[in-house]
Amino acid sequence: MKNHEVLDLIQEITRNDGTTYMEIGNMVMNGRAELAAERGFIKQVRILQLNIPHSIHVENYQQYINENFEIPDESMDHWEEWTKTPDMQAEVDLILKENHVG
């Protein structure tokens, strides 16, 4: 694994073109998204739910994120949207459903 991030919140990210997407993250990633918004890389980020239950779907998605992505440091010069395989998008959809979001 590249890192060991624990994902425990759901956030809505608004791209600069006005479209939005839901992401499962944590407070560190939310802070980076806030910084990205301040720098104009994205329009905004909002936390929709904190402390989500750590279901098997969260565990599966968390493992995928930890193996494939790294949380940027404060010197980031762009916003990297975490791309999802169809299987991982299905996991995110189930996490949203479990938490009555979306």
Side-chain angles (χ1 to χ4, degrees):
M1 283 188 185
K2 288 185 174 184
N3 52 27
H4 184 70
E5 296 297 330
V6 175
L7 305 182
D8 59 2
L9 61 80
I10 299 171
Q11 53 192 1
E12 178 187 64
I13 296 174
T14 304
R15 299 176 187 100
N16 284 332
D17 66 4
T19 59
T20 62
Y21 70 98
M22 305 290 190
E23 189 57 82
I24 314 305
N26 59 25
M27 290 306 288
V28 173
M29 192 59 188
N30 183 261
R32 295 301 189 265
E34 290 285 348
L35 183 59
E38 287 176 15
R39 293 181 179 172
F41 305 144
I42 59 175
K43 192 174 282 187
Q44 73 174 9
V45 59
R46 325 185 281 146
I47 294 175
L48 301 179
Q49 190 163 341
L50 289 168
N51 301 320
I52 60 173
H54 206 79
S55 70
I56 187 68
H57 304 295
V58 173
E59 288 179 20
N60 291 341
Y61 188 62
Q62 181 175 282
Q63 180 178 350
Y64 169 76
I65 293 302
N66 282 323
E67 289 175 353
N68 292 285
F69 300 97
E70 291 186 23
I71 291 184
D73 62 26
E74 292 179 21
S75 65
M76 68 180 167
D77 60 1
H78 69 285
W79 178 252
E80 181 181 0
E81 187 171 327
W82 291 343
T83 55
K84 299 164 186 67
T85 64
D87 288 344
M88 287 302 110
Q89 184 60 57
E91 294 287 1
V92 169
D93 293 343
L94 288 168
I95 294 166
L96 297 175
K97 184 176 180 180
E98 288 174 341
N99 288 279
H100 311 287
V101 175

